[in-house]
Amino acid sequence: MKVLIVNGSSHVNGTTMVAINEMAKVFECNKVEIEVIQLGSKPIGDCLQCGYCDEHGKCVQEDMVNEFVEKARAADGFVFASPVYYAHPTGRLYSFLDRVFFSSASADNYGAFNFKPGAAVAVARRGGTSTTFDGINKYFGIAQMPVAGSTYWNSVHGLRAEDATKDEEGLQTVRNLAKNMIWMMRCFEEGKKSNIAYPDFETGIYTNFIR
């Protein structure tokens, strides 16, 4: 099994990475392969609504988005982590997620994420974690992804990396989150072995009320 973890922070070794590293320990102890994708400090373009991905199955902008979607097709679970910017995820992560989810869903009915567990992690000095957590979770809801939860909302607090290491409850929360994801992925794997089919969902109906 493999989990892709996206760090939406511009700081590779900041507070968000503290939370990611805590989850990584649990995954690795349970022999779950992980790959951490650092969005870094370079700008990531917004979705242009150009429709290119509908015809070609990938985004017209050649950057890390298309590479990530290809990796996502072979992954079993996902973690998207972000520091809090004015009570929401980083704009960089939002742009990344908009294009990743839209272009992958355009490629085929199942996309790269359907029926694979997803988890959001929010990191802040003090406030805004709940709305950041909610913002990321919305992507899972529209992609038929089961959402992994924990023993508290998935948040860690600290202004600097060394502060985040002292948030014992926050680190406990993300450790439990990793454990829950592993359990979910193992259950889905057993379902595949038992030939339990995916739901027969409908597609193709789009209601537009403005004519």
Side-chain angles (χ1 to χ4, degrees):
M1 292 186 295
K2 182 172 183 177
V3 173
L4 296 181
I5 305 176
V6 175
N7 182 2
S9 174
S10 58
H11 301 291
V12 174
N13 294 307
T15 53
T16 306
M17 200 61 198
V18 171
I20 290 173
N21 284 336
E22 199 70 13
M23 296 186 72
K25 294 174 189 175
V26 177
F27 286 130
E28 290 168 352
C29 285
N30 286 273
K31 296 180 171 53
V32 175
E33 182 183 356
I34 64 165
E35 181 177 352
V36 178
I37 288 87
Q38 303 280 1
L39 296 192
S41 58
K42 293 182 180 179
I44 294 177
D46 294 338
C47 176
L48 303 175
Q49 294 182 299
C50 64
Y52 182 90
C53 60
D54 282 330
E55 297 181 17
H56 299 87
K58 66 176 185 177
C59 184
V60 69
Q61 302 179 61
E62 290 293 344
D63 56 15
M64 63 194 309
V65 167
N66 289 329
E67 180 183 354
F68 178 81
V69 171
E70 287 308 307
K71 290 181 179 181
R73 297 189 188 285
D76 301 290
F78 305 90
V79 178
F80 297 104
S82 178
V84 173
Y85 283 16
Y86 286 92
H88 59 69
T90 64
R92 184 180 306 102
L93 181 61
Y94 261 150
S95 294
F96 179 81
L97 291 176
D98 281 352
R99 290 172 50 212
V100 159
F101 276 84
F102 194 74
S103 63
S104 67
S106 299
D108 56 67
N109 286 340
Y110 284 99
F113 301 95
N114 303 56
F115 310 113
K116 300 176 183 179
V121 175
V123 181
R125 181 191 68 83
R126 186 172 177 85
T129 53
S130 293
T131 47
T132 299
F133 180 65
D134 178 60
I136 298 172
N137 279 337
K138 286 184 170 66
Y139 292 90
F140 308 146
I142 200 171
Q144 296 179 289
M145 296 175 67
V147 180
S150 187
T151 46
Y152 199 80
W153 292 289
N154 310 332
S155 59
V156 175
H157 290 81
L159 177 60
R160 299 175 181 84
E162 55 267 30
D163 300 327
T165 62
K166 300 173 185 177
D167 182 7
E168 295 182 7
E169 185 178 4
L171 297 179
Q172 171 185 265
T173 299
V174 294
R175 287 195 300 270
N176 288 335
L177 174 62
K179 294 173 184 177
N180 290 345
M181 284 192 70
I182 293 166
W183 178 82
M184 292 172 73
M185 291 187 295
R186 286 175 175 169
C187 287
F188 297 154
E189 188 63 29
E190 289 302 312
K192 292 176 185 177
K193 292 177 182 178
S194 300
N195 295 316
I196 298 175
Y198 289 127
D200 183 20
F201 59 90
E202 300 179 31
T203 60
I205 297 175
Y206 302 95
T207 302
N208 301 301
F209 293 99
I210 300 175
R211 304 290 182 182

